[in-house]
Amino acid sequence: DARVTQTPRDKVTEMGQEVTMRCQPILGHNTVFWYRQTMMQGLELLAYFRNRAPLDDSGMPKDRFSAEMPDATLATLKIQPSEPRDSAVYFCASGSEDRVWTEAFFGQGTRLTVV
Amino acid sequence: DQQVKQNSPSLSVQEGRISILNCDYTNSMFDYFLWYKKYPAEGPTFLISISSIKDKNEDGRFTVFLNKSAKHLSLHIVPSQPGDSAVYFCAASARIGASKIIFGSGTRLSIRP
């Protein structure tokens, strides 16, 4: 049963603390996306990778957010320092761009609360 | 600047009737469009897609219509069922180039008995 796995599912942290969210894409997928769900913006694209290389991270606040793919089985999204306005649900999605582009498969998300 | 817009935050439809969800886009480079469905506490799941070479794609109770000249697409669900109550996201992508997937803000569909 192939699925995208995100950890942790829920995270509560104090303002100023570092937060790291992890994602294991579906095996064989070469494209990984990070989205943030907010009430106003819907699913906001933060960054995405193809074959582990960052293609676009223009949606991320550069001063505090960073995204990496240390290897093909792990993608990370880090916030340092975290702020209350970062509270949202963060989704990772993966897909395969080797053939005709079809769809991206989403994980269950990490609900982040910064107090 | 939202490239994909869903102007109706919510929609309520009676069970058995047709649900129509609308989506507009601004980027002419988009040539592939997707609809996702999201239940609370779960990630979005893919529902149906359409390529710009078509103007209609049907899958069971779900049909997506694309009007390229108007930069508009719609999702029709008929008949609507209680399990269809969810948030629906419209998304768009350009196959040429970076092909990132841009999502709209979502429409919450409620099916009432």
Side-chain angles (χ1 to χ4, degrees), chain B residues 28-111:
Chain B
S28 302
M29 296 301 293
F30 290 148
D31 59 2
Y32 189 67
F33 305 90
L34 312 92
W35 284 94
Y36 278 77
K37 177 179 179 179
K38 185 184 180 303
Y39 292 119
E42 293 183 10
T45 56
F46 172 73
L47 191 59
I48 192 169
S49 63
I50 188 167
S51 164
S52 60
I53 62 174
K54 296 184 177 182
D55 54 19
K56 175 183 174 182
N57 189 25
E58 192 172 353
D59 183 1
R61 296 185 299 112
F62 302 91
T63 303
V64 56
F65 295 91
L66 176 62
N67 182 334
K68 290 185 289 293
S69 60
K71 293 191 177 67
H72 177 84
L73 61 155
S74 60
L75 175 67
H76 292 210
I77 306 173
V78 55
S80 301
Q81 299 175 354
D84 297 330
S85 295
V87 176
Y88 289 79
F89 289 99
C90 170
S93 177
R95 287 184 171 177
I96 297 174
S99 64
K100 56 188 175 183
I101 303 178
I102 305 297
F103 282 80
S105 55
T107 296
R108 181 177 300 279
L109 175 64
S110 300
I111 305 301

Side-chain angles (χ1 to χ4, degrees), chain A residues 49-90:
Chain A
F49 294 78
R50 179 152 302 134
N51 298 322
R52 296 178 54 202
L55 286 191
D56 188 335
D57 61 0
S58 58
M60 285 201 314
K62 297 292 190 305
D63 55 340
R64 299 184 300 108
F65 284 58
S66 62
E68 296 179 344
M69 279 202 74
D71 60 61
T73 64
L74 177 65
T76 62
L77 179 67
K78 187 176 296 186
I79 308 174
Q80 167 63 20
S82 57
E83 297 181 1
R85 59 177 166 155
D86 301 329
S87 297
V89 181
Y90 291 80

